[in-house]
Amino acid sequence: MAFTYFFRDMQTLEMIRDYVIPGLRTRRYIHIWDAGCAMGPEPYSLAIVLRENMGMIFRNVKIHATDIDSSNLFGDIIQKGTYPLEQVQRIPGPIFEKYFSPADEPGHYTISEEIRRSVSFTKHDLLSMKPIRKGLNLIMCKNVLLHFNEQERVDVIRMFHDSLDEGYFATEQTQKMPEVLESHFEPVVANAQLYRKICI
């Protein structure tokens, strides 16, 4: 089972905070796709950043967390929202105290109901080339595309483009935008893998 932890990629979360959230505040409903969510620390970390920076507008946020999940365990883990200390210990103290409480299981902590309500899990295979929905405002896909060949990456990112509604795409720092798709996205900042959709 893939191991991950909360606030693993602070750079991407900070870019979303600074460049994406200001535009999201103007939306009545906000739909985000976290593709390749594993056991949930990534979409929940994103949800916490959104809640901290959007206030009550956060109630309009829905994070669609998906993974191929060969273990058939991710959905139950995400729904329960309980994680061991090793996965939450890097969370800044004030944030941890605000959104987590001790679980019944020793050494485990449960995320707040408000945050859990914002995230829903669906089992999904990206290589089906079928988006979970259209009209998305942000797609985050990290540590997944590197497992695909070049053509598969192009096809998946093109599918992401078609699924976005003038929104943003964030991916891992090691993945550059394929040249064939450079007309589909524009970088938001230099030397970082956060892009804004270009309507073509």
Side-chain angles (χ1 to χ4, degrees), residues 41-75:
E42 182 176 88
Y44 278 140
S45 296
L46 176 60
I48 291 171
V49 170
L50 293 169
R51 177 64 181 88
E52 282 292 290
N53 292 276
M54 298 181 76
M56 295 308 296
I57 300 173
F58 178 72
R59 60 188 159 188
N60 299 331
V61 171
K62 190 64 178 179
I63 299 176
H64 307 269
T66 69
D67 199 287
I68 196 168
D69 186 18
S70 57
S71 70
N72 291 317
L73 295 174
F74 294 173

mmCIF file of all heavy atoms in Angstrom, residues 41-75:
data_model
loop_
_atom_site.group_PDB
_atom_site.id
_atom_site.type_symbol
_atom_site.label_atom_id
_atom_site.label_comp_id
_atom_site.label_asym_id
_atom_site.label_seq_id
_atom_site.Cartn_x
_atom_site.Cartn_y
_atom_site.Cartn_z
ATOM 1 N N PRO A 41 -4.251 11.533 2.654
ATOM 2 C CA PRO A 41 -3.558 12.702 3.195
ATOM 3 C C PRO A 41 -3.445 13.872 2.220
ATOM 4 O O PRO A 41 -3.533 15.030 2.649
ATOM 5 C CB PRO A 41 -2.176 12.143 3.558
ATOM 6 C CG PRO A 41 -2.457 10.733 3.949
ATOM 7 C CD PRO A 41 -3.505 10.281 2.954
ATOM 8 N N GLU A 42 -3.297 13.591 0.917
ATOM 9 C CA GLU A 42 -3.164 14.696 -0.034
ATOM 10 C C GLU A 42 -4.466 15.493 -0.189
ATOM 11 O O GLU A 42 -4.452 16.724 -0.022
ATOM 12 C CB GLU A 42 -2.693 14.174 -1.386
ATOM 13 C CG GLU A 42 -2.478 15.275 -2.424
ATOM 14 C CD GLU A 42 -1.906 14.712 -3.718
ATOM 15 O OE1 GLU A 42 -2.705 14.306 -4.584
ATOM 16 O OE2 GLU A 42 -0.670 14.682 -3.840
ATOM 17 N N PRO A 43 -5.607 14.867 -0.489
ATOM 18 C CA PRO A 43 -6.829 15.678 -0.604
ATOM 19 C C PRO A 43 -7.228 16.323 0.719
ATOM 20 O O PRO A 43 -7.750 17.441 0.727
ATOM 21 C CB PRO A 43 -7.885 14.676 -1.081
ATOM 22 C CG PRO A 43 -7.341 13.337 -0.751
ATOM 23 C CD PRO A 43 -5.858 13.470 -0.872
ATOM 24 N N TYR A 44 -6.964 15.666 1.832
ATOM 25 C CA TYR A 44 -7.292 16.277 3.116
ATOM 26 C C TYR A 44 -6.362 17.456 3.429
ATOM 27 O O TYR A 44 -6.800 18.457 4.010
ATOM 28 C CB TYR A 44 -7.242 15.236 4.231
ATOM 29 C CG TYR A 44 -8.501 14.412 4.342
ATOM 30 C CD1 TYR A 44 -8.449 13.048 4.609
ATOM 31 C CD2 TYR A 44 -9.757 14.997 4.209
ATOM 32 C CE1 TYR A 44 -9.606 12.287 4.735
ATOM 33 C CE2 TYR A 44 -10.918 14.253 4.316
ATOM 34 C CZ TYR A 44 -10.842 12.896 4.592
ATOM 35 O OH TYR A 44 -11.995 12.152 4.706
ATOM 36 N N SER A 45 -5.087 17.358 3.047
ATOM 37 C CA SER A 45 -4.178 18.498 3.227
ATOM 38 C C SER A 45 -4.664 19.685 2.407
ATOM 39 O O SER A 45 -4.672 20.831 2.881
ATOM 40 C CB SER A 45 -2.752 18.116 2.801
ATOM 41 O OG SER A 45 -2.219 17.106 3.623
ATOM 42 N N LEU A 46 -5.070 19.415 1.173
ATOM 43 C CA LEU A 46 -5.608 20.470 0.320
ATOM 44 C C LEU A 46 -6.869 21.067 0.939
ATOM 45 O O LEU A 46 -7.049 22.288 0.959
ATOM 46 C CB LEU A 46 -5.908 19.911 -1.068
ATOM 47 C CG LEU A 46 -6.566 20.868 -2.061
ATOM 48 C CD1 LEU A 46 -5.685 22.087 -2.307
ATOM 49 C CD2 LEU A 46 -6.852 20.145 -3.380
ATOM 50 N N ALA A 47 -7.735 20.221 1.469
ATOM 51 C CA ALA A 47 -8.977 20.703 2.085
ATOM 52 C C ALA A 47 -8.675 21.623 3.262
ATOM 53 O O ALA A 47 -9.334 22.655 3.438
ATOM 54 C CB ALA A 47 -9.828 19.517 2.538
ATOM 55 N N ILE A 48 -7.687 21.286 4.061
ATOM 56 C CA ILE A 48 -7.331 22.123 5.204
ATOM 57 C C ILE A 48 -6.831 23.484 4.737
ATOM 58 O O ILE A 48 -7.208 24.528 5.288
ATOM 59 C CB ILE A 48 -6.282 21.416 6.083
ATOM 60 C CG1 ILE A 48 -6.914 20.213 6.791
ATOM 61 C CG2 ILE A 48 -5.690 22.387 7.101
ATOM 62 C CD1 ILE A 48 -5.916 19.326 7.511
ATOM 63 N N VAL A 49 -5.977 23.491 3.709
ATOM 64 C CA VAL A 49 -5.475 24.769 3.171
ATOM 65 C C VAL A 49 -6.624 25.616 2.641
ATOM 66 O O VAL A 49 -6.686 26.830 2.872
ATOM 67 C CB VAL A 49 -4.426 24.512 2.069
ATOM 68 C CG1 VAL A 49 -4.070 25.806 1.332
ATOM 69 C CG2 VAL A 49 -3.172 23.897 2.674
ATOM 70 N N LEU A 50 -7.555 24.986 1.944
ATOM 71 C CA LEU A 50 -8.714 25.718 1.441
ATOM 72 C C LEU A 50 -9.552 26.281 2.588
ATOM 73 O O LEU A 50 -9.960 27.445 2.559
ATOM 74 C CB LEU A 50 -9.567 24.804 0.559
ATOM 75 C CG LEU A 50 -8.936 24.345 -0.754
ATOM 76 C CD1 LEU A 50 -9.789 23.245 -1.386
ATOM 77 C CD2 LEU A 50 -8.775 25.501 -1.722
ATOM 78 N N ARG A 51 -9.799 25.459 3.596
ATOM 79 C CA ARG A 51 -10.605 25.919 4.737
ATOM 80 C C ARG A 51 -9.939 27.082 5.452
ATOM 81 O O ARG A 51 -10.605 28.067 5.829
ATOM 82 C CB ARG A 51 -10.830 24.759 5.721
ATOM 83 C CG ARG A 51 -11.592 25.168 6.988
ATOM 84 C CD ARG A 51 -12.985 25.627 6.640
ATOM 85 N NE ARG A 51 -13.752 26.046 7.807
ATOM 86 C CZ ARG A 51 -13.751 27.285 8.322
ATOM 87 N NH1 ARG A 51 -12.997 28.224 7.767
ATOM 88 N NH2 ARG A 51 -14.479 27.570 9.374
ATOM 89 N N GLU A 52 -8.637 27.022 5.613
ATOM 90 C CA GLU A 52 -7.904 28.073 6.309
ATOM 91 C C GLU A 52 -7.926 29.397 5.542
ATOM 92 O O GLU A 52 -7.830 30.466 6.142
ATOM 93 C CB GLU A 52 -6.453 27.636 6.529
ATOM 94 C CG GLU A 52 -6.260 26.662 7.657
ATOM 95 C CD GLU A 52 -6.521 27.299 9.012
ATOM 96 O OE1 GLU A 52 -5.709 28.141 9.438
ATOM 97 O OE2 GLU A 52 -7.554 26.970 9.639
ATOM 98 N N ASN A 53 -8.059 29.323 4.230
ATOM 99 C CA ASN A 53 -7.928 30.520 3.409
ATOM 100 C C ASN A 53 -9.215 30.959 2.712
ATOM 101 O O ASN A 53 -9.214 31.971 2.009
ATOM 102 C CB ASN A 53 -6.831 30.304 2.356
ATOM 103 C CG ASN A 53 -5.454 30.212 2.979
ATOM 104 O OD1 ASN A 53 -4.815 31.229 3.244
ATOM 105 N ND2 ASN A 53 -4.989 28.998 3.245
ATOM 106 N N MET A 54 -10.291 30.221 2.908
ATOM 107 C CA MET A 54 -11.545 30.560 2.254
ATOM 108 C C MET A 54 -12.668 30.865 3.233
ATOM 109 O O MET A 54 -13.727 31.346 2.826
ATOM 110 C CB MET A 54 -11.987 29.432 1.317
ATOM 111 C CG MET A 54 -11.012 29.159 0.194
ATOM 112 S SD MET A 54 -11.564 27.843 -0.925
ATOM 113 C CE MET A 54 -12.809 28.703 -1.864
ATOM 114 N N GLY A 55 -12.462 30.572 4.495
ATOM 115 C CA GLY A 55 -13.509 30.836 5.473
ATOM 116 C C GLY A 55 -14.779 30.058 5.161
ATOM 117 O O GLY A 55 -14.734 28.898 4.762
ATOM 118 N N MET A 56 -15.921 30.703 5.298
ATOM 119 C CA MET A 56 -17.195 30.025 5.126
ATOM 120 C C MET A 56 -17.474 29.623 3.685
ATOM 121 O O MET A 56 -18.326 28.768 3.434
ATOM 122 C CB MET A 56 -18.335 30.908 5.641
ATOM 123 C CG MET A 56 -18.277 31.154 7.144
ATOM 124 S SD MET A 56 -18.145 29.614 8.105
ATOM 125 C CE MET A 56 -19.696 28.832 7.701
ATOM 126 N N ILE A 57 -16.762 30.214 2.728
ATOM 127 C CA ILE A 57 -16.929 29.815 1.329
ATOM 128 C C ILE A 57 -16.540 28.352 1.150
ATOM 129 O O ILE A 57 -16.963 27.686 0.204
ATOM 130 C CB ILE A 57 -16.094 30.722 0.405
ATOM 131 C CG1 ILE A 57 -16.535 32.179 0.564
ATOM 132 C CG2 ILE A 57 -16.227 30.297 -1.057
ATOM 133 C CD1 ILE A 57 -15.666 33.165 -0.189
ATOM 134 N N PHE A 58 -15.749 27.834 2.088
ATOM 135 C CA PHE A 58 -15.293 26.447 2.007
ATOM 136 C C PHE A 58 -16.458 25.467 1.918
ATOM 137 O O PHE A 58 -16.315 24.378 1.358
ATOM 138 C CB PHE A 58 -14.422 26.117 3.222
ATOM 139 C CG PHE A 58 -13.945 24.702 3.272
ATOM 140 C CD1 PHE A 58 -12.975 24.245 2.394
ATOM 141 C CD2 PHE A 58 -14.480 23.804 4.193
ATOM 142 C CE1 PHE A 58 -12.540 22.932 2.434
ATOM 143 C CE2 PHE A 58 -14.049 22.497 4.241
ATOM 144 C CZ PHE A 58 -13.067 22.050 3.363
ATOM 145 N N ARG A 59 -17.613 25.847 2.435
ATOM 146 C CA ARG A 59 -18.751 24.913 2.383
ATOM 147 C C ARG A 59 -19.206 24.643 0.960
ATOM 148 O O ARG A 59 -19.975 23.704 0.709
ATOM 149 C CB ARG A 59 -19.908 25.450 3.209
ATOM 150 C CG ARG A 59 -20.447 26.785 2.760
ATOM 151 C CD ARG A 59 -21.451 27.329 3.747
ATOM 152 N NE ARG A 59 -21.630 28.765 3.629
ATOM 153 C CZ ARG A 59 -22.327 29.503 4.470
ATOM 154 N NH1 ARG A 59 -22.914 28.934 5.488
ATOM 155 N NH2 ARG A 59 -22.427 30.802 4.308
ATOM 156 N N ASN A 60 -18.762 25.464 -0.001
ATOM 157 C CA ASN A 60 -19.093 25.258 -1.409
ATOM 158 C C ASN A 60 -18.091 24.361 -2.127
ATOM 159 O O ASN A 60 -18.206 24.146 -3.332
ATOM 160 C CB ASN A 60 -19.159 26.599 -2.132
ATOM 161 C CG ASN A 60 -20.229 27.515 -1.562
ATOM 162 O OD1 ASN A 60 -21.233 27.038 -1.033
ATOM 163 N ND2 ASN A 60 -20.006 28.816 -1.652
ATOM 164 N N VAL A 61 -17.082 23.871 -1.405
ATOM 165 C CA VAL A 61 -16.005 23.074 -2.002
ATOM 166 C C VAL A 61 -16.338 21.589 -1.960
ATOM 167 O O VAL A 61 -16.772 21.059 -0.927
ATOM 168 C CB VAL A 61 -14.675 23.321 -1.255
ATOM 169 C CG1 VAL A 61 -13.607 22.326 -1.715
ATOM 170 C CG2 VAL A 61 -14.201 24.755 -1.471
ATOM 171 N N LYS A 62 -16.119 20.909 -3.091
ATOM 172 C CA LYS A 62 -16.205 19.450 -3.141
ATOM 173 C C LYS A 62 -14.933 18.923 -3.789
ATOM 174 O O LYS A 62 -14.631 19.266 -4.941
ATOM 175 C CB LYS A 62 -17.426 18.996 -3.952
ATOM 176 C CG LYS A 62 -17.685 17.499 -3.831
ATOM 177 C CD LYS A 62 -18.028 17.133 -2.387
ATOM 178 C CE LYS A 62 -18.338 15.649 -2.231
ATOM 179 N NZ LYS A 62 -18.655 15.292 -0.840
ATOM 180 N N ILE A 63 -14.190 18.113 -3.044
ATOM 181 C CA ILE A 63 -12.970 17.495 -3.562
ATOM 182 C C ILE A 63 -13.285 16.056 -3.934
ATOM 183 O O ILE A 63 -13.664 15.249 -3.085
ATOM 184 C CB ILE A 63 -11.836 17.547 -2.530
ATOM 185 C CG1 ILE A 63 -11.508 19.009 -2.183
ATOM 186 C CG2 ILE A 63 -10.589 16.834 -3.066
ATOM 187 C CD1 ILE A 63 -10.461 19.171 -1.102
ATOM 188 N N HIS A 64 -13.153 15.751 -5.213
ATOM 189 C CA HIS A 64 -13.399 14.401 -5.727
ATOM 190 C C HIS A 64 -12.058 13.665 -5.730
ATOM 191 O O HIS A 64 -11.223 13.888 -6.606
ATOM 192 C CB HIS A 64 -13.989 14.470 -7.125
ATOM 193 C CG HIS A 64 -15.205 15.346 -7.229
ATOM 194 N ND1 HIS A 64 -16.487 14.867 -7.056
ATOM 195 C CD2 HIS A 64 -15.329 16.681 -7.476
ATOM 196 C CE1 HIS A 64 -17.351 15.862 -7.185
ATOM 197 N NE2 HIS A 64 -16.674 16.974 -7.451
ATOM 198 N N ALA A 65 -11.855 12.814 -4.752
ATOM 199 C CA ALA A 65 -10.595 12.081 -4.619
ATOM 200 C C ALA A 65 -10.729 10.722 -5.289
ATOM 201 O O ALA A 65 -11.679 9.983 -5.012
ATOM 202 C CB ALA A 65 -10.250 11.917 -3.142
ATOM 203 N N THR A 66 -9.805 10.404 -6.191
ATOM 204 C CA THR A 66 -9.889 9.135 -6.908
ATOM 205 C C THR A 66 -8.539 8.419 -6.909
ATOM 206 O O THR A 66 -7.483 9.037 -6.813
ATOM 207 C CB THR A 66 -10.336 9.329 -8.370
ATOM 208 O OG1 THR A 66 -9.300 9.989 -9.112
ATOM 209 C CG2 THR A 66 -11.620 10.144 -8.450
ATOM 210 N N ASP A 67 -8.619 7.108 -7.042
ATOM 211 C CA ASP A 67 -7.419 6.281 -7.145
ATOM 212 C C ASP A 67 -7.845 4.941 -7.722
ATOM 213 O O ASP A 67 -8.989 4.507 -7.534
ATOM 214 C CB ASP A 67 -6.774 6.090 -5.772
ATOM 215 C CG ASP A 67 -5.323 5.648 -5.867
ATOM 216 O OD1 ASP A 67 -5.075 4.472 -6.213
ATOM 217 O OD2 ASP A 67 -4.432 6.476 -5.605
ATOM 218 N N ILE A 68 -6.915 4.288 -8.404
ATOM 219 C CA ILE A 68 -7.224 2.955 -8.940
ATOM 220 C C ILE A 68 -7.391 1.950 -7.809
ATOM 221 O O ILE A 68 -8.140 0.981 -7.929
ATOM 222 C CB ILE A 68 -6.143 2.509 -9.943
ATOM 223 C CG1 ILE A 68 -6.654 1.345 -10.786
ATOM 224 C CG2 ILE A 68 -4.833 2.198 -9.247
ATOM 225 C CD1 ILE A 68 -5.775 1.028 -11.985
ATOM 226 N N ASP A 69 -6.701 2.149 -6.682
ATOM 227 C CA ASP A 69 -6.914 1.442 -5.413
ATOM 228 C C ASP A 69 -7.037 -0.075 -5.566
ATOM 229 O O ASP A 69 -8.105 -0.652 -5.361
ATOM 230 C CB ASP A 69 -8.156 1.994 -4.712
ATOM 231 C CG ASP A 69 -8.340 1.405 -3.313
ATOM 232 O OD1 ASP A 69 -7.367 0.852 -2.773
ATOM 233 O OD2 ASP A 69 -9.455 1.492 -2.779
ATOM 234 N N SER A 70 -5.920 -0.712 -5.893
ATOM 235 C CA SER A 70 -5.943 -2.176 -6.035
ATOM 236 C C SER A 70 -6.172 -2.878 -4.702
ATOM 237 O O SER A 70 -6.526 -4.061 -4.671
ATOM 238 C CB SER A 70 -4.620 -2.651 -6.642
ATOM 239 O OG SER A 70 -3.515 -2.228 -5.853
ATOM 240 N N SER A 71 -5.993 -2.155 -3.589
ATOM 241 C CA SER A 71 -6.184 -2.754 -2.265
ATOM 242 C C SER A 71 -7.647 -2.769 -1.824
ATOM 243 O O SER A 71 -8.009 -3.486 -0.888
ATOM 244 C CB SER A 71 -5.373 -1.978 -1.222
ATOM 245 O OG SER A 71 -5.932 -0.685 -1.012
ATOM 246 N N ASN A 72 -8.470 -1.940 -2.470
ATOM 247 C CA ASN A 72 -9.873 -1.787 -2.077
ATOM 248 C C ASN A 72 -10.034 -1.319 -0.622
ATOM 249 O O ASN A 72 -11.037 -1.625 0.028
ATOM 250 C CB ASN A 72 -10.647 -3.104 -2.274
ATOM 251 C CG ASN A 72 -10.817 -3.448 -3.731
ATOM 252 O OD1 ASN A 72 -11.123 -2.587 -4.550
ATOM 253 N ND2 ASN A 72 -10.606 -4.716 -4.070
ATOM 254 N N LEU A 73 -9.067 -0.549 -0.139
ATOM 255 C CA LEU A 73 -9.103 -0.063 1.233
ATOM 256 C C LEU A 73 -9.193 1.455 1.339
ATOM 257 O O LEU A 73 -9.600 1.986 2.372
ATOM 258 C CB LEU A 73 -7.841 -0.526 1.989
ATOM 259 C CG LEU A 73 -7.676 -2.028 2.210
ATOM 260 C CD1 LEU A 73 -6.317 -2.319 2.831
ATOM 261 C CD2 LEU A 73 -8.793 -2.564 3.094
ATOM 262 N N PHE A 74 -8.817 2.162 0.268
ATOM 263 C CA PHE A 74 -8.686 3.615 0.371
ATOM 264 C C PHE A 74 -10.005 4.295 0.716
ATOM 265 O O PHE A 74 -10.043 5.237 1.503
ATOM 266 C CB PHE A 74 -8.131 4.199 -0.930
ATOM 267 C CG PHE A 74 -6.710 3.785 -1.233
ATOM 268 C CD1 PHE A 74 -6.138 4.113 -2.445
ATOM 269 C CD2 PHE A 74 -5.948 3.078 -0.314
ATOM 270 C CE1 PHE A 74 -4.829 3.745 -2.740
ATOM 271 C CE2 PHE A 74 -4.646 2.696 -0.589
ATOM 272 C CZ PHE A 74 -4.081 3.032 -1.814
ATOM 273 N N GLY A 75 -11.092 3.834 0.124
ATOM 274 C CA GLY A 75 -12.378 4.473 0.364
ATOM 275 C C GLY A 75 -12.765 4.443 1.828
ATOM 276 O O GLY A 75 -13.199 5.455 2.394
#
